[in-house]
Amino acid sequence: MNQVAVTGLGVMAPHGDDPAALFAALMRGESAVKPILPELPKPAAAAAAPFDPAGWFTKLQLAGVDRVSQLAVAAADLAMRDAGAQGDVDPERIGIYAGCGMGGASALETAYRGGPRVPPLTIPAFMPSAPASHVAMRHGVQGPVLTYSVACASSAVAIAEAAKAVQCGDVDLAIAGGSEALIVPGVVLAWQAMQTLAGFAPGEEASAVKPFATDRSGFALGEGAAFLILESAERARRRGARIYATLAGWGHSCDAVHLTKPDAQGQGRALRAALRSAGLQPADVGYCNAHGTATRIGDVVERDALAAVWGEDLDRLRVSSTKALHGHLLGAAGALEALITVLALHQRRLPPNAHCETIDPACSLNLVRDTETAAPQLEAAISNSFAFGGTNSVLLFRRA
């Protein structure tokens, strides 16, 4: 079986389009969460991507292309440029594996609220598979072009499936990640109705999301896209490519308990599967980019799952949730957080767990503090994605 290398990173997210600048902002604890949609009856905050489609599309090309697909095209294009990988690959040997939880929200919003005439390209604009299809057309990809829609685990699952395809030789190159763009009134109102979004006082939106803190109250939505380029380590070395990290293992499971309430046993099964597939023990993994949604129940369940698997080694596992700063990208969360985890390994520096002044005793973890971010011995790290519907996905990366 081939070893799977990460050779390209591309992002279009709340902290911009440069992976290094994104990581630096997270290291500084800079929040991208801001007030949004002042017309809503209840105050709302989210982390929007500062994205101008004019850099990627002509006005004519934008017809029928929802923001979710625009972001995907930009991030995938940047990842391919970073990898410098496509020149000698048969288009039939390239695959796209994309996660998208809810599809083109802007297109649906326009159709529902925009007046008597529904835009004729609404259907192809909002279908969840549109981002992957647009990326395929942009790069002439003729191999498998697949979309995974598994709520908050969508893009983590997509990356794992891409790694399997590279590992067994089904494709030579995989463009793997996800995209989500949901900051429209209808979607925000729906999330407010679920009572999962963080509360905040006026002027305190930036620090509203407080993973694992005693005063946590939920998450903020984020939007954006992130893609990794995966190929065999042998191919990467042969062409002299930079290898950021290797994707050494992955694990999936289903709680099969409740549609929205997470389950520690289910999450534990995914964690164990990732360790098993990588051939590692818990003590070998030094960092966890947690799912960490800052919800009252979710953070405790994730802590309990980690404790059950890591046991006596739990205190050696450094943990942070970067959702405090970039928001929850839902279907694209796994991809963005995987990219951040790869950079943490590559730089041996850990992004801090922001806005947590007092850790909830029920969430007792070795959280990364802003004064303790160096990780000179870091060799392996995981990224957790735990979704509505009970699907759990864990990606395990090793330092190249």
Side-chain angles (χ1 to χ4, degrees), residues 3 8 38 45 76 96 128 145 155 160 182 192 196 204 229 243 267 312 322 331 350 386 389 400:
Q3 188 181 38
I96 297 171
V145 177
S155 53
L182 300 173
Q192 286 181 335
T196 56
E204 297 182 358
I229 304 303
I243 299 177
Q267 293 178 9
E312 294 181 354
T322 51
L350 307 180
F386 303 140

Side-chain angles (χ1 to χ4, degrees), residues 2 6 15 23 52 70 78 82 87 106 111 134 173-175 179 243 252 256 273 330 334 358 373-374 379 393:
N2 294 318
V6 180
H15 289 91
F23 193 74
D52 182 0
Q70 299 168 22
L78 290 169
D82 187 45
S106 295
H134 281 287
L173 186 76
I175 306 170
S179 181
I243 299 177
H252 304 316
L330 303 179
T358 305
T373 59
E379 293 291 337
S393 183

Side-chain angles (χ1 to χ4, degrees), residues 252-347:
H252 304 316
S253 70
C254 184
D255 297 341
V257 171
H258 193 278
L259 201 62
T260 59
K261 184 180 179 181
D263 177 69
Q265 291 184 348
Q267 293 178 9
R269 288 192 291 272
L271 290 162
R272 291 188 181 92
L275 290 165
R276 188 165 56 247
S277 66
L280 297 180
Q281 297 299 314
D284 299 323
V285 179
Y287 172 62
C288 170
N289 188 301
H291 188 59
T293 56
T295 53
R296 298 303 304 176
I297 296 175
D299 285 8
V300 175
V301 170
E302 184 169 13
R303 184 269 172 196
D304 289 348
L306 289 168
V309 176
W310 260 253
E312 294 181 354
D313 294 309
L314 183 63
D315 287 343
R316 299 171 59 183
L317 180 68
R318 310 285 299 283
V319 179
S320 66
S321 171
T322 51
K323 285 183 177 72
L325 303 174
H326 57 62
H328 191 348
L329 273 66
L330 303 179
L336 178 60
E337 291 158 25
L339 182 148
I340 293 166
T341 304
V342 166
L343 288 173
L345 265 175
H346 186 62
Q347 297 190 19

Side-chain angles (χ1 to χ4, degrees), residues 134-152:
H134 281 287
V135 172
M137 290 185 288
R138 181 62 63 106
H139 292 280
V141 173
Q142 298 174 0
V145 177
L146 304 173
T147 296
Y148 300 83
S149 188
V150 201
C152 308

Side-chain angles (χ1 to χ4, degrees), residues 193-207:
M194 281 206 74
Q195 300 182 5
T196 56
L197 299 184
F200 52 86
E204 297 182 358
E205 294 86 355
S207 59

Side-chain angles (χ1 to χ4, degrees), residues 40 118 208 217 222 242 258 267 286 301 362:
L40 294 183
V118 174
S217 59
R242 169 184 51 202
H258 193 278
Q267 293 178 9
V301 170

